[in-house]
Amino acid sequence: MSLVHAVLIFTLEEPKDIKSTLEYLMTLFPRKLFNDTLPQVVLKHQLYSIHNDKTLVDKEVNKLRECGELLMFQLGFDSEAFGLVFTSDYKTKVLAGEEGKGTRTTVEKFLEKVLPSCTDLSFSKDKMLKVFLFTDSEITQLVKSGVLTVREAGSWWLSIPNSGKFTKYFIQGRKAVLGMVRKSKYGEVLQADLEERRTTSQVKFPLRYHVHDIVGAELVESIPTTSGTLLRFVDS
């Protein structure tokens, strides 16, 4: 093994690489599609399409959450789908959306008190009232603003305001891209060829964003070949 290869392998395994992978995946997020009102969202399993060691990914994601750099969200359409957003981006977009609204002061309090060390996906009423010292009416305002959504009576998910359209386009695009793989000869296609294909209006995100999704979620098999990575449809 050459020194260059050794350095490359070592670099790829370095924990800091998880953050740079996140930053790369974030660049694929189509900000303009949402008029730049949403923070850039990456799904945790998209990291698995680049890093095979899921345990390492989960560990490094948790470290970034613990130090306040990263937030994680339960996206709702699948219990295994977790959205990742950089905290600074989340704050910027949430505050921009609160401009001129009566809920802004309460939302600012939430961003200040809850986000700095937020490793929770959801919050109980007890925690909101006794630990973070919010009133019932303030919790109602947080739900109205979209930073919380109801999980069940007396508990709320941390959420991304106005992310309904993101979920809709994401699911729609995933189905369309999976269909492109399934309809290929033998239900398989070279990743490079797929990424160059023209897409229908159903696909609003860059194809590569969806490829990282379907590979990471193991909806297709990713097989190295001499011609490049082959994606094979997996019958569920």
Side-chain angles (χ1 to χ4, degrees), residues 104-207:
R104 185 179 171 104
T105 305
T106 306
V107 169
E108 283 177 343
K109 179 180 167 183
F110 178 81
L111 296 178
E112 209 175 282
K113 281 194 167 192
V114 179
L115 287 203
S117 56
C118 179
T119 55
D120 295 315
L121 291 171
S122 65
F123 307 96
S124 66
K125 184 167 187 174
D126 209 42
K127 190 164 189 177
M128 288 299 289
L129 296 175
K130 294 177 183 172
V131 178
F132 297 123
L133 306 176
F134 285 95
T135 63
D136 280 323
S137 64
E138 284 177 327
I139 294 170
T140 303
Q141 286 182 46
L142 294 173
V143 172
K144 187 182 173 186
S145 74
V147 294
L148 293 180
T149 54
V150 177
R151 179 181 181 178
E152 56 196 18
S155 86
W156 301 268
W157 293 112
L158 178 66
S159 66
I160 305 165
N162 307 311
S163 56
K165 196 184 274 190
F166 163 78
T167 303
K168 179 189 168 187
Y169 289 163
F170 175 79
I171 293 169
Q172 185 178 289
R174 173 192 269 190
K175 282 181 182 167
V177 175
L178 273 176
M180 289 163 73
V181 179
R182 191 181 67 246
K183 289 171 190 165
S184 299
K185 195 175 179 183
Y186 308 122
E188 53 189 41
V189 61
L190 285 169
Q191 182 173 326
D193 291 349
L194 177 66
E195 287 175 0
E196 282 173 14
R197 283 193 191 176
R198 292 186 65 165
T199 57
T200 65
S201 60
Q202 295 289 300
V203 183
K204 310 224 182 264
F205 294 0
L207 254 174

Side-chain angles (χ1 to χ4, degrees), residues 77-92:
F77 61 86
D78 179 342
S79 62
E80 293 302 306
F82 299 102
L84 300 173
V85 171
F86 283 121
T87 309
S88 57
D89 196 16
Y90 180 80
K91 282 182 176 177
T92 302

